[in-house]
Amino acid sequence: MFDNKSSKLLLLCAALIFAFSPPSNAQGGVVPEQQGQSATYVNGGNGDDQIRYMQSIAKNWPMRIMFSQLKANEFIAGINLLITDSQNFTFLQLEDAGPLTYVDLPAGSYTVKATYMGQSQTRKLTVGTKNKRDLHFHWKGIAENDPFDGKPLGGAQVPG
């Protein structure tokens, strides 16, 4: 099907794609820095290696956000996150934030809105040049729907 020349070219292309692919959040504990609309951020914390890595770099980030649910403070991801300044300028918008998101923001006043399973929470805060801000968004629990009948599993809201 492929001659020797075509096979070598195909292997070379595959090697180049692999060599220049960005690291995946799922590989090991390293979570790469990413650039949002107007802010640099890291987003991760899935698994013990990533949690340890995120804890080790936390002191370098002016805003640290954690997302959890239920009484046990279980980490959650899949958060729609929006960070705007006092003029409503979007600094960062993520559709799949969490469970830990660290953001490098300039000094100023911000509104942080986090939405999980249709339930939104909003916090207003000021970030200074020397202080670090920790935000914890917590949901008491959201009933999961049965895929067959669409009713909440367990018959009611998940306690939290």
Side-chain angles (χ1 to χ4, degrees), residues 31 39-46 50-51 54-55 57-69 73-84 91-94 96-105 110-116 121-127 132-139:
V31 180
T40 302
Y41 69 95
V42 292
N43 183 61
N46 297 310
Q50 281 192 13
I51 290 170
M54 295 291 284
Q55 289 171 337
I57 65 168
K59 67 182 186 297
N60 302 325
W61 294 87
M63 181 187 290
R64 299 171 296 239
I65 309 170
M66 180 175 75
F67 304 100
S68 66
Q69 73 171 348
N73 285 323
E74 298 169 8
F75 276 163
I76 54 174
I79 309 299
N80 187 331
L81 178 67
L82 177 65
I83 301 174
T84 56
F91 270 79
L92 182 64
Q93 185 169 12
L94 299 176
D96 191 17
L100 301 170
T101 304
Y102 301 161
V103 187
D104 187 9
L105 293 170
Y110 298 92
T111 300
V112 181
K113 181 179 179 183
T115 304
Y116 178 64
Q121 297 181 27
T122 302
R123 309 269 196 287
K124 292 188 181 287
L125 68 134
T126 300
V127 174
K132 310 282 190 210
R133 295 303 307 256
D134 292 317
L135 294 177
H136 182 186
F137 287 92
H138 180 80
W139 286 265

